[in-house]
C-alpha cells in the first residue's frame, strides 16, 4: 500500500537521543517564584525540569526516566559566568504518568500500530533554591550532549551534536518586583498525516498575567559529555562561562521556517497550523515565548520540538482552530479540508445544524462560547469528527489618539480601544520607526520619541479578556516644529472694537507680538487666547515653544473706522424664481428683513423667492460699526403660451396650427415647411413627423421666454400592390390580395365589384364567368387616419380548360421583344417543371416558377438557332395533372 506520510507532533521539548537517550523525546525547564528567601535580599524559586520518554521503550541501551538526575546550571546573565548549580529531585515514584492518543477513536486511520500510536511517559524533577537579588538576573540552563543523528531533515546533525534548554530570571535593572516564568501547557499527543492540514495549540500560561508573544527561533547545540552519563553537567560539570551555539539548518529550512512556508506560528496565540511536510524523518523546531510586563521584555522562554514523519492516511476533517467573532453575531465558515467525504453533519452549539459541506454564514442570537462540531462519513463508511470553539463577543474596536509637538519631544499615544464585553487586557504598540527594533511597547498609554521628521505607520494590536484580538494602523506625521492651529489668518474689525485671538498647538508656551508695535494693544500677550484692540491694521505674530519645539504663525487684523453697505440697484424677477441678494460691504454680519414679513437668512448673500413686489432691508455690522440700506424687487408673472394639438397628417397634406399667448412677442420654429409664420395660425405641410415650437416673450414684464410644442405626426405614403397581371380560365376561383404598409384599422374597396365574394376584403376571391377576354380590378386602400393608396390588376380570361401554353418560337436577340421563352399557365395553381432539351436530348434549362423562362443561353453562351424540345407539367385548380410536350424554334 502506498500510504501518505504523517507528522507526529510531540508536545514537548527536544532532548538528546544518543545511545543512552534515544527515547528521551523532549522536556521543558521553567521556574516559579515561591516568596522571599531565608536570608535578606534573597528570593526563593522552585525550578522544574519536565522530561518525556516514548512508552514503547522496552529495554536496550536507552536511558530510562527513573535514572535521570537533571543538574541545572545557574549563570549570571551579565557575562554568562557560572554562579551555582542545583540538582533536581524526581517528583514521581514507580511508573511515570502517560499521555497518548487513542488510535481506536479514529477508525478511518490507516497505518501500522507503531506508526499510528503516540504515547509518552512524563517525568518531572524539581527543587528550590534561594538566589540573591541580582541587578543583571540569572540564566538557567540544562543540557544534553547528543541529539538523534539519523533521519534529521532540517538541521545538520553529527554524532556529538547536543541540545541546550534555557530560561531567564530578570534582574532588578529590568523588574523591581518578582516573576514566574511562562509554562507551556501539557496536552495529549496528536497524530497528523503528512501533506494534510493541521492545527495544534502550543500556547503557554503565565502565573503573573504577563503578555505573551510567540515566534520561531534557532535551537541551541549542547556541550560534550560522557557516554556513561548523557547529562554533561553531572559527568564533566558545567562550563565556567556559558557559550550558546546555534544549530545549523539545511536549505530550504531555516530557524524562522523550520517546517517550510506552508506552516506558520500565530504570534499572539501560539497556534501552529498549516500543511505538514512530506519528507520522512525528524525535524527540530524551537519556539520562543516573549514575556512582557508594562512594556518591558522580561524573559525569552524557549522550547524545542521533535517532529517525526512516518506513513499513514486519514480522512479526518479539519474544521480549523478556535475562532472569535468580535464584529457581530455572524460566523463565516472557511473551506473544509481533510479528505473525500460522502456526508456531513454540522452542529453549531446552540441547536442549529447543517448537512452542507460548507454551510452558509451562521448567525448566533446571543453572546457566548459555542462548540461547533462536524461529523463526517468517508468513502468506505468510516466516520470521524472534529470540533472547535466559537467565541461570540461582538463590539471590540481598537483605536487610539496621538498628541505631540515635534521630533525633539516624545509623542503621547493614548489607547481608546472599545470593548462591549470583558476588558482590554493587552495592548501592543509598534511605532513604525525603521531605524530600530526597539520601537514597541506593551504599555496602555506609552510615549515614544522619534529621531527624525517623517511619516510613521503606528500599529496597535489589542486583545480583551474574551479572546478578541484586532489591530489598527494610522500614519503619524512627525514634524520639525509644532503645528499651530488658527481659526483664521485674516480678519476685519472696527476701530472701536476689541477682538480675541485664538491659537492651539497642543501644549507649550505662547507669546504674541504686534507689528507695528503699539503699546497696550494686547491684553496678556503670553496667554494662549489674548484680547487685542488695534486702532490700525496690525499683524499679530504668535510664537509657540513646546519643550524646545518652536514655531510661529500670524493673523492680520484689518481695522476700519466705519463701514458702508450698498444693497444694490432695484431689480425685477419672474414670479416663482429665486435669486441671491448681493450687497457690497466690508461688514462681517448682516441682518435682513422683508417688507412682506417673509423671513430672510442672516447671511451676506441670502437666497430669496419673492412672490409679490418686495423691498429688502439690510443692517450690516462690523463689531460696533454698522450701516443700513435697502433694495426693491419687482415681481412679474411668466409669459403664457399654448399650442393646440393637431391630429396625424397624411403625406403631402397640410394643416393649420393654432397658438395662444399672454405676452408681447412670439415666434415659431422651424419655418422651412410653414407659411404665415407671423400669425398665431400658420399652415404647415411637413414631409416627416416634426415638432413645431411656439415661443412667447414679454418685454415689459418677465423677460424670460416660455415655449410650448406641438408634434405633427406625418403618415408615410400608403403603398398598395394588387399583384402582377395574371390569367385564369372561366369559373376558376382566383385569390386576390393587396399588399400594403397600412396598419390596423385599414379599409379596402375593390371595383368593379363583379364576380368578387367580398369587395371590402384585403384578399377577396374572384370567380370570373364572363366571355370578355380580360377584366381590370382597381383597389383603394384607406387608413384610419384617411390616408389612401391604390393599384390595378388585369386578369386575362381564357375560354379553355386549364392548360399550359408554350409559344412555338422566340427570338432572344435582346431587343426587348419575345426574348424569353416561358410557359403561359392558365388555371394552373402549381408548376411542377418547365424543361428545355437540345437535339441530343440534353436538358439545358428547367424552372418551377411562374413567369420565368429560358433566355436562349446555356452557362451564358448563346445557343444555336434551331428546334428544341420542351416539356411542362403542372396541377390545375381542381387538382388535375396537366402535361404538355412539344417543340419550339429558336430564331436569331
Amino acid at each position: 500500500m502506498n500510504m501518505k506520510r504523517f507528522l507526529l507532533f510531540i508536545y514537548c521539548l527536544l532532548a538528546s537521543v544518543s545511545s543512552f537517550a534515544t527515547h528521551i523525546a523532549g522536556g521543558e525547564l521553567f521556574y516559579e517564584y515561591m516568596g522571599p528567601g531565608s536570608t535578606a535580599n534573597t528570593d526563593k524559586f522552585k525550578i522544574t525540569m519536565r522530561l518525556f520518554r516514548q512508552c514503547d521503550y522496552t529495554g536496550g541501551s536507552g536511558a530510562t526516566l527513573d535514572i535521570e538526575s537533571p543538574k541545572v546550571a545557574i549563570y549570571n546573565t551579565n557575562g554568562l559566568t557560572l554562579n551555582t548549580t542545583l540538582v533536581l529531585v524526581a517528583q514521581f515514584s514507580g511508573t511515570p504518568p502517560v499521555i497518548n492518543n487513542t488510535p481506536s477513536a479514529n477508525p478511518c486511520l490507516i497505518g501500522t500500530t507503531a506508526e499510528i500510536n503516540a504515547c509518552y511517559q512524563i517525568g518531572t524533577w524539581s527543587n528550590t533554591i534561594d538566589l540573591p537579588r541580582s541587578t543583571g538576573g540569572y540564566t538557567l540552563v540544562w543540557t544534553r550532549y547528543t541529539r538523534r543523528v539519523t533521519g534529521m531533515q532540517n538541521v545538520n546533525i553529527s554524532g556529538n551534536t547536543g541540545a541546550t534548554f534555557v530560561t531567564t530570571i530578570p534582574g532588578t535593572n529590568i523588574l523591581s518586583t518578582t516573576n514566574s516564568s511562562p509554562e507551556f501547557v501539557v496536552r495529549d499527543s496528536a497524530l497528523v498525516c503528512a501533506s494534510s492540514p493541521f492545527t495544534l495549540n502550543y500556547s503557554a500560561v503565565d502565573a503573573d498575567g504577563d503578555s505573551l508573544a510567540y515566534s520561531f527561533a534557532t535551537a541551541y547545540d549542547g556541550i560534550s559529555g560522557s557516554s556513561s552519563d548523557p547529562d554533561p553537567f553531572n559527568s564533566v560539570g558545567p562550563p565556567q562561562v556559558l557559550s550558546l551555539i546555534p544549530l545549523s539548518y539545511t536549505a530550504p529550512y531555516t530557524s524562522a521556517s523550520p517546517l517550510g512556508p506552508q506552516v506558520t506560528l500565530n504570534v499572539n496565540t501560539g497556534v501552529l497550523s498549516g500543511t505538514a511536510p512530506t519528507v520522512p524523518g525528524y525535524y527540530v523546531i524551537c519556539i520562543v515565548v516573549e514575556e512582557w510586563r508594562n512594556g518591558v521584555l522580561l524573559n525569552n522562554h524557549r522550547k524545542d520540538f521533535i517532529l517525526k514523519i512516518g506513513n499513514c492516511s486519514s480522512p479526518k476533517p479539519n474544521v480549523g482552530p478556535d475562532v472569535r467573532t468580535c464584529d457581530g453575531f455572524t460566523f463565516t465558515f472557511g473551506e473544509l479540508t481533510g479528505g473525500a467525504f460522502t456526508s456531513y453533519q454540522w452542529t453549531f452549539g446552540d441547536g442549529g445544524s447543517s448537512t452542507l459541506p460548507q454551510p452558509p454564514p451562521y448567525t448566533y442570537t446571543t453572546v457566548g462560547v459555542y462548540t461547533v462540531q462536524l461529523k463526517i462519513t468517508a468513502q468506505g463508511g468510516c466516520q470521524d469528527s472534529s470540533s472547535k470553539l466559537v467565541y461570540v463577543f461582538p463590539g471590540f474596536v481598537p483605536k487610539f489618539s496621538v498628541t505631540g509637538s515635534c521630533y525633539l519631544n516624545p509623542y503621547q499615544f493614548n489607547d481608546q480601544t472599545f470593548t462591549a464585553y470583558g476588558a482590554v487586557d493587552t495592548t501592543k504598540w509598534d511605532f513604525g520607526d525603521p531605524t530600530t527594533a526597539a520601537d514597541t511597547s506593551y504599555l496602555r498609554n506609552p510615549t515614544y520619541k522619534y529621531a527624525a521628521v517623517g511619516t510613521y505607520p503606528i500599529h496597535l494590536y489589542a486583545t480583551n479578556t474574551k479572546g478578541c484580538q484586532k489591530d489598527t494602523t494610522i500614519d503619524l506625521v512627525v514634524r520639525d516644529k509644532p503645528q499651530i492651529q488658527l481659526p483664521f489668518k485674516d480678519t476685519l474689525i472696527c476701530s472701536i472694537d476689541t477682538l480675541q485671538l485664538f491659537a492651539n498647538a497642543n501644549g507649550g508656551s505662547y507669546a504674541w507680538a504686534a507689528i507695528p508695535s503699539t503699546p497696550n494693544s494686547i491684553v496678556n500677550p503670553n496667554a494662549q487666547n489674548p484680547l487685542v484692540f488695534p486702532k490700525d491694521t496690525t499683524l499679530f505674530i504668535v510664537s509657540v515653544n513646546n519643550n524646545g519645539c518652536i514655531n510661529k504663525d500670524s493673523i492680520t487684523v484689518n481695522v476700519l473706522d466705519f463701514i458702508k453697505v450698498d444693497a444694490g440697484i432695484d431689480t425685477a424677477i419672474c414670479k416663482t424664481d429665486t435669486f441671491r441678494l448681493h450687497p457690497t460691504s466690508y461688514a462681517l454680519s448682516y441682518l435682513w428683513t422683508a417688507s412682506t414679513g417673509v423671513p430672510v437668512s442672516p447671511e451676506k448673500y441670502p437666497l430669496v423667492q419673492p412672490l409679490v413686489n418686495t423691498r429688502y432691508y439690510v443692517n450690516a455690522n462690523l463689531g460696533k460699526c454698522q450701516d443700513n440700506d435697502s433694495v426693491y424687487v419687482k415681481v412679474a408673472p411668466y409669459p403664457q403660451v399654448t399650442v393646440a394639438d393637431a391630429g396625424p397628417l397624411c403625406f403631402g397634406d397640410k394643416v393649420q396650427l393654432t397658438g395662444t399667448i399672454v405676452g408681447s412677442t412670439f415666434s415659431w420654429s422651424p419655418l422651412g415647411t410653414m407659411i404665415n409664420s407671423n400669425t398665431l395660425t400658420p399652415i404647415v405641410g411637413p414631409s416627416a413627423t416634426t415638432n413645431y415650437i411656439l415661443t412667447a416673450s414679454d418685454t415689459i414684464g418677465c423677460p424670460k421666454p416660455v415655449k410650448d410644442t406641438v408634434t405633427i405626426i406625418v403618415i408615410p405614403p400608403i403603398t398598395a400592390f394588387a399583384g402582377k397581371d395574371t390569367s385564369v380560365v372561366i369559373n376558376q376561383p382566383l385569390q386576390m390580395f393587396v399588399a400594403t404598409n397600412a396598419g390596423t384599422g385599414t379599409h379596402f374597396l375593390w371595383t368593379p365589384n363583379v364576380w368578387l365574394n367580398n369587395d371590402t376584403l384585403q384578399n377577396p376571391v374572384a370567380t370570373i364567368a364572363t366571355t370578355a377576354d380580360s377584366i381590370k380590378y382597381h383597389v383603394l386602400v384607406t387608413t384610419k387616419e384617411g390616408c389612401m393608396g391604390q393599384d390595378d390588376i388585369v386578369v386575362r380570361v381564357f375560354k379553355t380548360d386549364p392548360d399550359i401554353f408554350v409559344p412555338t418560337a422566340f427570338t432572344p436577340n435582346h431587343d426587348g421583344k419575345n426574348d424569353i421563352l416561358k410557359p403561359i399557365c392558365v388555371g394552373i395553381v402549381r408548376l411542377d417543371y418547365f424543361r428545355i432539351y437540345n437535339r441530343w436530348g440534353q436538358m439545358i434549362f428547367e424552372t418551377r416558377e411562374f413567369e420565368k423562362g429560358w433566355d436562349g443561353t446555356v452557362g451564358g453562351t448563346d445557343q444555336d438557332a434551331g428546334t428544341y424540345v420542351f416539356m411542362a407539367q403542372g396541377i390545375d385548380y381542381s387538382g388535375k395533372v396537366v402535361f404538355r410536350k412539344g417543340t419550339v424554334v429558336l430564331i436569331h
Side-chain angles (χ1 to χ4, degrees):
M1 177 184 298
N2 182 16
M3 295 180 294
K4 294 181 180 178
R5 305 182 182 102
F6 78 92
L7 177 62
L8 182 61
F9 289 90
I10 307 165
Y11 290 66
C12 54
L13 295 178
L14 176 67
S16 63
V17 284
S18 68
S19 60
F20 281 91
T22 300
H23 298 283
I24 296 299
E28 179 188 0
L29 178 64
F30 55 93
Y31 63 88
E32 178 185 0
Y33 173 74
M34 305 299 292
S38 57
T39 60
N41 295 320
T42 63
D43 292 308
K44 183 181 294 294
F45 292 93
K46 179 181 179 181
I47 300 176
T48 301
M49 189 70 214
R50 181 181 290 137
L51 294 179
F52 298 81
R53 175 182 178 274
Q54 294 176 346
C55 296
D56 58 357
Y57 175 74
T58 56
S61 58
T64 58
L65 286 183
D66 57 355
I67 69 168
E68 294 287 347
S69 181
K71 178 186 289 186
V72 174
I74 302 175
Y75 288 86
N76 300 308
T77 297
N78 292 337
L80 295 180
T81 56
L82 182 65
N83 183 289
T84 186
T85 60
L86 177 67
V87 176
L88 306 184
V89 179
Q91 302 299 303
F92 65 92
S93 60
T95 303
V98 170
I99 59 171
N100 64 300
N101 69 330
T102 307
S104 60
N106 185 357
C108 301
L109 191 63
I110 301 173
T112 65
T113 301
E115 291 169 341
I116 65 177
N117 273 283
C119 177
Y120 295 89
Q121 296 177 339
I122 305 176
T124 305
W125 292 260
S126 298
N127 206 344
T128 60
I129 187 173
D130 289 354
L131 293 175
R133 292 168 186 160
S134 166
T135 300
Y138 300 97
T139 299
L140 312 183
V141 180
W142 183 74
T143 189
R144 282 191 163 273
Y145 82 95
T146 60
R147 294 178 185 258
R148 170 180 288 275
V149 176
T150 59
M152 287 294 181
Q153 298 299 325
N154 67 338
V155 293
N156 295 309
I157 295 292
S158 62
N160 60 355
T161 300
T164 299
F165 309 98
V166 180
T167 190
T168 59
I169 299 175
T172 57
N173 62 338
I174 295 177
L175 183 66
S176 60
T177 57
T178 59
N179 184 61
S180 296
S181 72
E183 178 183 351
F184 286 95
V185 179
V186 177
R187 295 177 173 86
D188 289 344
S189 55
L191 187 66
V192 178
C193 292
S195 301
S196 298
F198 72 93
T199 300
L200 295 174
N201 190 339
Y202 286 98
S203 61
V205 295
D206 189 89
D208 303 316
D210 295 329
S211 298
L212 304 179
Y214 303 84
S215 62
F216 289 122
T218 301
Y220 291 139
D221 197 354
I223 62 175
S224 300
S226 168
S227 61
S228 62
D229 187 346
D231 184 346
F233 287 179
N234 285 325
S235 58
V236 299
Q240 292 301 307
V241 178
L242 179 64
S243 177
L244 298 172
I245 304 172
L247 290 181
S248 173
Y249 286 77
T250 59
Y253 304 103
T254 65
S255 61
S257 183
L259 291 177
Q262 291 185 311
V263 178
T264 58
L265 179 68
N266 189 299
V267 65
N268 301 307
T269 64
V271 172
L272 188 69
S273 62
T275 301
T278 58
V279 179
Y282 294 83
Y283 291 74
V284 175
I285 299 176
C286 183
I287 290 180
V288 168
V289 55
E290 297 177 352
E291 182 183 10
W292 292 82
R293 185 184 305 172
N294 297 326
V296 177
L297 178 62
L298 304 181
N299 182 13
N300 285 308
H301 193 64
R302 303 171 62 85
K303 171 181 181 180
D304 290 352
F305 291 82
I306 289 181
L307 288 81
K308 176 185 175 183
I309 300 178
N311 290 317
C312 80
S313 63
S314 171
K316 181 178 179 65
N318 182 9
V319 297
D322 296 347
V323 294
R324 288 164 170 81
T325 170
C326 301
D327 296 318
F329 291 91
T330 299
F331 167 67
T332 301
F333 292 84
E335 183 178 357
L336 179 65
T337 59
F341 309 132
T342 59
S343 68
Y344 307 81
Q345 181 61 55
W346 292 85
T347 56
F348 303 130
D350 67 342
S353 63
S354 175
T355 57
L356 297 175
Q358 184 172 353
Y362 187 77
T363 301
Y364 291 93
T365 59
T366 186
V367 298
V369 181
Y370 301 91
T371 299
V372 173
Q373 184 181 57
L374 170 61
K375 181 178 180 181
I376 58 93
T377 300
Q379 294 178 354
C382 66
Q383 295 182 335
D384 203 349
S385 64
S386 180
S387 64
K388 65 179 177 182
L389 297 178
V390 175
Y391 296 78
V392 182
F393 294 101
F396 183 65
V397 182
K399 55 184 179 179
F400 61 91
S401 63
V402 186
T403 57
S405 54
C406 75
Y407 75 100
L408 297 176
N409 297 316
Y411 278 76
Q412 176 68 52
F413 297 86
N414 302 296
D415 175 44
Q416 296 174 342
T417 299
F418 169 77
T419 181
Y421 301 94
V424 177
D425 60 354
T426 300
T427 52
K428 182 179 180 181
W429 298 84
D430 185 331
F431 302 117
D433 190 343
T435 64
T436 177
D439 62 334
T440 60
S441 175
Y442 284 87
L443 294 176
R444 188 72 180 270
N445 300 303
T447 60
Y448 186 77
K449 184 178 181 297
Y450 292 91
V453 299
T455 300
Y456 299 88
I458 312 302
H459 180 85
L460 170 63
Y461 165 82
T463 66
N464 66 8
T465 53
K466 295 300 183 181
C468 293
Q469 47 187 297
K470 285 187 182 181
D471 58 3
T472 186
T473 301
I474 63 172
D475 287 338
L476 171 64
V477 178
V478 176
R479 307 180 188 276
D480 59 347
K481 51 192 174 184
Q483 287 293 102
I484 302 177
Q485 297 177 350
L486 300 176
F488 48 82
K489 296 281 290 181
D490 192 298
T491 190
L492 184 67
I493 67 171
C494 192
S495 59
I496 59 176
D497 289 334
T498 299
L499 175 68
Q500 186 170 25
L501 302 180
F502 295 90
N504 183 17
N506 292 320
S509 60
Y510 297 79
W512 292 85
I515 299 177
S517 179
T518 303
N520 302 319
S521 63
I522 305 176
V523 177
N524 195 357
N526 294 320
Q528 182 176 351
N529 304 315
L531 296 174
V532 298
F533 46 94
K535 299 303 179 182
D536 295 302
T537 297
T538 303
L539 179 68
F540 290 94
I541 299 175
V542 58
S543 298
V544 176
N545 187 332
N546 192 339
N547 294 324
C549 296
I550 300 173
N551 195 11
K552 293 183 178 182
D553 208 340
S554 63
I555 297 175
T556 299
V557 179
N558 299 281
V559 180
L560 297 178
D561 292 331
F562 61 89
I563 63 164
K564 295 291 293 182
V565 61
D566 181 0
I569 62 175
D570 296 345
T571 186
I573 67 166
C574 298
K575 191 173 183 178
T576 71
D577 281 1
T578 61
F579 82 106
R580 289 192 179 276
L581 297 170
H582 206 282
T584 301
S585 177
Y586 289 115
L588 297 181
S589 65
Y590 298 83
L591 180 63
W592 294 87
T593 57
S595 61
T596 59
V598 175
V600 182
S601 177
E603 57 186 279
K604 187 172 185 178
Y605 305 121
L607 185 69
V608 295
Q609 186 183 34
L611 301 179
V612 296
N613 297 339
T614 304
R615 179 171 292 278
Y616 292 96
Y617 301 90
V618 60
N619 183 8
N621 292 272
L622 177 62
K624 298 176 182 177
C625 297
Q626 64 178 358
D627 194 23
N628 303 284
D629 198 11
S630 67
V631 61
Y632 183 76
V633 180
K634 180 181 179 181
V635 178
Y638 270 93
Q640 299 178 24
V641 60
T642 303
V643 182
D645 290 337
L649 186 67
C650 295
F651 181 84
D653 289 351
K654 294 180 174 59
V655 68
Q656 186 178 54
L657 304 181
T658 301
T660 58
I661 69 166
V662 176
S664 59
T665 62
F666 68 89
S667 64
W668 290 93
S669 65
L671 302 177
T673 56
M674 181 181 292
I675 59 177
N676 300 330
S677 59
N678 58 346
T679 71
L680 290 173
T681 55
I683 296 174
V684 297
S687 60
T689 297
T690 303
N691 291 326
Y692 290 95
I693 303 171
L694 176 59
T695 303
S697 301
D698 191 351
T699 58
I700 60 175
C702 176
K704 294 184 177 180
V706 178
K707 300 179 180 182
D708 194 18
T709 301
V710 62
T711 300
I712 302 300
I713 299 175
V714 177
I715 306 300
I718 302 302
T719 60
F721 178 64
K724 294 182 179 180
D725 294 347
T726 188
S727 301
V728 296
V729 297
I730 294 176
N731 294 323
Q732 173 193 342
L734 176 62
Q735 178 69 64
M736 312 282 279
F737 181 80
V738 57
T740 181
N741 63 348
T744 59
T746 300
H747 299 281
F748 303 90
L749 182 62
W750 295 81
T751 57
N753 62 357
V754 295
W755 301 302
L756 297 175
N757 67 330
N758 190 327
D759 62 350
T760 61
L761 294 179
Q762 185 177 9
N763 56 344
V765 176
T767 305
I768 302 174
T770 181
T771 58
D773 293 335
S774 64
I775 184 172
K776 178 189 285 188
Y777 285 102
H778 177 82
V779 60
L780 180 66
V781 179
T782 306
T783 68
K784 61 183 179 181
E785 296 86 7
C787 303
M788 294 181 292
Q790 54 190 340
D791 196 21
D792 297 318
I793 182 172
V794 176
V795 182
R796 295 176 61 193
V797 182
F798 286 79
K799 301 172 184 62
T800 66
D801 291 331
D803 205 344
I804 301 174
F805 300 100
V806 179
T808 58
F810 74 113
T811 59
N813 57 4
H814 310 293
D815 64 353
K817 300 177 181 180
N818 202 25
D819 287 332
I820 304 297
L821 176 67
K822 56 185 177 181
I824 300 173
C825 297
V826 179
I828 302 299
V829 297
R830 188 184 78 200
L831 179 63
D832 292 333
Y833 57 83
F834 173 64
R835 297 169 180 165
I836 304 296
Y837 297 85
N838 61 19
R839 68 183 68 182
W840 294 285
Q842 296 172 323
M843 186 177 69
I844 59 176
F845 176 78
E846 180 182 24
T847 184
R848 292 180 173 81
E849 298 182 44
F850 294 109
E851 299 301 322
K852 290 221 176 159
W854 183 43
D855 62 357
T857 66
V858 176
T861 302
D862 292 337
Q863 299 300 294
D864 295 335
T867 301
Y868 293 83
V869 175
F870 74 85
M871 285 193 295
Q873 178 177 301
I875 305 297
D876 69 9
Y877 68 89
S878 65
K880 294 180 181 180
V881 176
V882 177
F883 175 78
R884 293 293 180 263
K885 179 179 180 182
T887 60
V888 63
V889 178
L890 187 155
I891 301 172
H892 285 306

